[in-house]
Amino acid sequence: MDKLQEISAPIGRLLLSMIFIYSGFGKITGYAATAGYMESMGVPSLLLPLVIALEVLGGIAILIGFKARLVSILMAGFCILSALIFHQFWMDESQTNPFMKNFAMAGGFLMIFAHGPGAYSVDERHHTPRRVHHH
């Protein structure tokens, strides 16, 4: 069971980070379209470089477990904020699943914030797992 717990942390970070790294690069290649969409939703497109940086750099930081607690709280906030702005299911029922997906991802990030990045992370590389010894 210990090995399963150990490998679940990096796999979990991979699964959480993939969508952000992919989406961030997609915003770079589709910059004008993304900027227009943001403006249409009332969000200044001047924020797009910050969004791209958070998604790509934040995604990579989560993937490798670097400054994971700080980054995860930022990512959780980003997920909730973007759900409320871009996935208003109360206005458009087709946005229900994307809204819930964002809140689920925020939950995953809050777990990293609460428990740390786990094994095979930059943040934990100097920490050896503590073994409980019973005397």
Side-chain angles (χ1 to χ4, degrees):
M1 185 62 164
D2 286 346
K3 192 65 176 170
L4 181 58
Q5 286 179 309
E6 188 177 307
I7 64 168
S8 67
I11 292 170
R13 292 193 320 268
L14 170 67
L15 296 176
L16 271 171
S17 66
M18 286 172 38
I19 191 170
F20 294 96
I21 297 168
Y22 178 80
S23 180
F25 280 111
K27 286 176 176 65
I28 294 169
T29 59
Y31 195 92
T34 304
Y37 178 65
M38 288 174 67
E39 292 283 347
S40 76
M41 298 300 284
V43 178
S45 60
L46 288 173
L47 295 176
L48 183 52
L50 292 174
V51 170
I52 292 169
L54 182 64
E55 287 188 343
V56 173
L57 299 177
I60 292 169
I62 291 297
L63 175 63
I64 66 172
F66 176 74
K67 301 288 184 191
R69 285 196 159 130
L70 170 65
V71 174
S72 67
I73 201 74
L74 294 173
M75 297 297 273
F78 176 76
C79 288
I80 291 168
L81 191 59
S82 61
L84 294 170
I85 294 170
F86 296 105
H87 303 301
Q88 300 174 358
F89 70 90
W90 54 93
M91 303 284 280
D92 177 0
E93 197 175 310
S94 73
Q95 291 299 312
T96 303
N97 280 342
F99 182 92
M100 295 297 182
K101 170 202 55 123
N102 276 37
F103 269 68
M105 291 186 305
F109 287 123
L110 290 175
M111 292 299 290
I112 292 174
F113 179 73
H115 300 286
Y120 306 105
S121 64
V122 173
D123 292 350
E124 298 292 323
R125 74 176 182 262
H126 297 298
H127 302 145
T128 55
R130 293 189 186 116
R131 304 268 184 226
V132 177
H133 295 286
H134 297 286
H135 300 285

